[in-house]
Amino acid sequence: QVREEASRPSVTIIRKGIDKDLAVINVDLLEEEAKRKLPEGVHVFIANGNGEQWTLRENRRAFGDYAFAPHRMGGVVRDRIDTAVTLLGESLPFPIFVSPMGSHGLVHPEGEVATARGMGKSGGLVAVSSASTIPMEDIARASDGPKWFQMYLDQDEGRSREILQRARAAGFKAIVLTVDAIGQGSSDQYANMGRPRPWLPYGNYPEGRAPSFKTDLSWRELEMVRSVTGLPVVIKGLTRPEDAAEAVRAGAGAIQVSNHGGRALDGTPASISVLPKIVDAVQGAVPVMLDSGIRRGTDVAKALALGASAVAVGRPVWWALTLGGAGGVSGLMDYFQRELVETMLHLGVDKVASLGREHVLPLHHRI
Ligand code: FMN
C-alpha cells in the first residue's frame, strides 16, 4: 500500500505562490487526482461519453492521425514566440478557450464564478453555458475578461428570447448556439453517463428548472438569435462540411466544430478528422474553432496547423476546477499555453498565423 502511494506520480499538482495557481503536468494526472476527490457519480457524469463511447475514444485517437513535421534551424527565439490571436474582435493572449459547460457547481462551490475569475486572471476567453449553476449576470460580473454566452434553445421561443436579451444586457460578446444536443443519442445515455443526484438547479431559469430543449432546429433559429441580440453567432456542433458552408450562407459569425466531446451522437467522427474539410468548405469566410479531445499543447498546435483559429477545452476544465477553483483554471491555461509555445518552437514558428498544413503529416487518415 505504502509502496503504491510512493510510486504513484502524485505530485502532479504543486501549489505555487500566494495566488494558488495549479501547476499542471498533464491532463491525465489532473483527472486522476480530481477523480479521487469527486463523488463517483459526478466523475462518471463528466468523464464518460454516449453509447459505446466510440466517439469519445476517437476524439483522442484521431490526433494520432497527424504527426508533426518539425522545421529545424529556423532561428526562432523562445521568448519572442507570440500566441496571441484576435477572435471575433476579441484580443486573446492564446487561442485556447473554455468550452461552454453547464453545472460547474457540481465540482466547486463558486461554480462558474470560479471559472470566469480564473479565465479573467489569465486573460483568456470563457464561453458560459445557459445551463450554468450561477445566474449569468453574476458570472459576467466575476471578471472583466472576454466572455461569450452559449444558448440551448427552448421549445418556447419567448423564453429563449428572454434569456438571449439578458445575455446581451449582461455584456456577453457573442452567442454560441449549440445545435448537436437535440436528443439522448442512445438509449443507455443515462446508464453510461449517469446524472448526479441531487441535480443542481439551473441558475438562469425560473425555479431552476431546465429549459425544454427545442429539437426541430433550422437555420431560421440562427437569424432569430442574431436579430434578438445583434451579436455574432457561433454555431457549435457541426461535423459536416456542407453544414459549415450552409452556416456561413445563413449568417453565422463563426463555426465551432464539435461532437460535444462524444456526449451527443456516438459514431460522429472526431472533430480533428473533419476539420480540414470544414476549413476548406468555409474558405476563410468566418473563423473555424474546434473542440473535443484537446488535452495537450500539441493537440492545440495540430488543430491550428489544420486551419482552426482557436480551440475550446472541455473536461480538463472540470478537473482543474475541482482541484483549484479559479487558480486551477488559470493554471490549466498556463499549461496549455506553455506546451503550445514549446511546440511552436519545435515547428519553427513564432506566431499562430504562421502555423499551416506544412507542419503536420497525415498518417493513416481515414476520413
Ligand atoms: N456544451 C454546450 O454547448 N453546453 C453545455 O451546457 C455543455 N455542458 C457540458 C457538460 C459536461 C459535463 C461536459 C463534459 C461537456 C459539456 N458540453 C456542453 C460540451 C463541451 O462544450 C465540449 O463540446 C466538449 O466537452 C469538448 O470535448 P472535451 O471534453 O473532450 O474537451
Side-chain angles (χ1 to χ4, degrees):
Q1 175 82 36
V2 172
R3 187 165 291 178
E4 219 174 68
E5 282 291 322
S7 63
R8 194 172 53 202
S10 65
V11 196
T12 55
I13 300 136
I14 315 146
R15 290 184 184 277
K16 66 173 187 202
I18 46 162
D19 49 6
K20 296 199 172 146
D21 259 17
L22 284 186
V24 176
I25 306 287
N26 71 43
V27 171
D28 285 343
L29 297 173
L30 199 66
E31 175 175 359
E32 198 183 291
E33 197 128 337
K35 187 178 174 183
R36 272 186 244 137
K37 217 179 143 178
L38 290 172
E40 193 191 348
V42 173
H43 175 261
V44 162
F45 169 69
I46 297 164
N48 281 10
N50 217 331
E52 294 178 5
Q53 311 198 77
W54 179 84
T55 297
L56 181 73
R57 289 189 298 278
E58 189 68 3
N59 281 343
R60 286 303 300 143
R61 190 211 59 78
F63 280 98
D65 283 340
Y66 296 93
F68 284 118
H71 287 201
R72 303 300 186 195
M73 312 298 275
V76 170
V77 180
R78 181 191 267 111
D79 291 350
R80 295 213 192 118
I81 294 176
D82 182 5
T83 58
V85 293
T86 303
L87 194 60
L88 297 183
E90 302 279 1
S91 299
L92 306 177
F94 43 80
I96 304 152
F97 65 102
V98 173
S99 210
M101 294 174 286
S103 307
H104 289 188
L106 282 172
V107 302
H108 196 274
E110 284 183 301
E112 292 81 6
V113 163
T115 317
R117 277 203 297 111
M119 289 310 284
K121 203 171 141 209
S122 66
L125 166 72
V126 57
V128 172
S129 170
S130 48
S132 58
T133 314
I134 311 279
M136 64 172 106
E137 290 81 2
D138 297 342
I139 306 169
R141 274 192 293 271
S143 113
D144 297 332
K147 288 173 292 289
W148 292 351
F149 183 81
Q150 177 268 333
M151 189 64 192
Y152 281 134
L153 290 177
D154 198 302
Q155 261 165 11
D156 175 347
E157 192 174 303
R159 282 187 94 189
S160 291
R161 285 173 177 265
E162 273 173 40
I163 296 280
L164 289 164
Q165 278 155 1
R166 278 172 59 192
R168 191 202 155 82
F172 291 93
K173 291 291 163 35
I175 304 296
V176 180
L177 183 61
T178 301
V179 299
D180 62 357
I182 52 170
Q184 275 190 218
S186 75
S187 59
D188 52 4
Q189 171 173 325
Y190 291 111
N192 284 346
M193 293 157 74
R195 199 168 153 82
R197 290 179 200 283
W199 188 247
L200 292 171
Y202 288 80
N204 289 318
Y205 294 88
E207 284 111 46
R209 282 216 319 273
S212 158
F213 282 44
K214 183 172 173 60
T215 55
D216 52 337
L217 298 174
S218 70
W219 295 112
R220 198 196 76 81
E221 275 71 47
L222 166 54
E223 185 44 39
M224 185 276 284
V225 175
R226 215 159 61 115
S227 64
V228 170
T229 61
L231 295 172
V233 180
V234 180
I235 299 289
K236 172 175 183 280
L238 302 184
T239 54
R240 196 169 165 261
E242 295 82 354
D243 286 350
E246 191 59 39
V248 173
R249 283 194 287 277
I255 286 156
Q256 188 164 335
V257 181
S258 171
N259 55 42
H260 218 97
R263 299 167 75 82
L265 178 65
D266 192 35
T268 307
S271 297
I272 194 74
S273 302
V274 293
L275 177 68
K277 286 203 173 136
I278 290 188
V279 168
D280 291 345
V282 167
Q283 296 183 320
V286 300
V288 175
M289 284 94 71
L290 169 142
D291 74 57
S292 297
I294 297 282
R295 300 292 178 268
R296 293 188 162 275
T298 47
D299 303 333
V300 179
K302 285 180 186 180
L304 297 173
L306 292 170
S309 298
V311 302
V313 177
R315 292 178 183 83
V317 175
W318 291 91
W319 316 138
L321 199 56
T322 303
L323 296 168
V329 174
S330 50
L332 180 71
M333 290 299 129
D334 186 54
Y335 154 80
F336 275 116
Q337 190 187 15
R338 250 184 304 131
E339 272 209 1
L340 176 58
V341 166
E342 289 306 308
T343 309
M344 288 170 71
L345 179 68
H346 278 274
L347 297 180
V349 297
D350 58 8
K351 51 182 178 296
V352 168
S354 305
L355 283 166
R357 290 190 187 177
E358 69 273 24
H359 295 110
V360 284
L361 297 167
L363 294 176
H364 328 285
H365 198 64
R366 293 187 304 212
I367 282 177

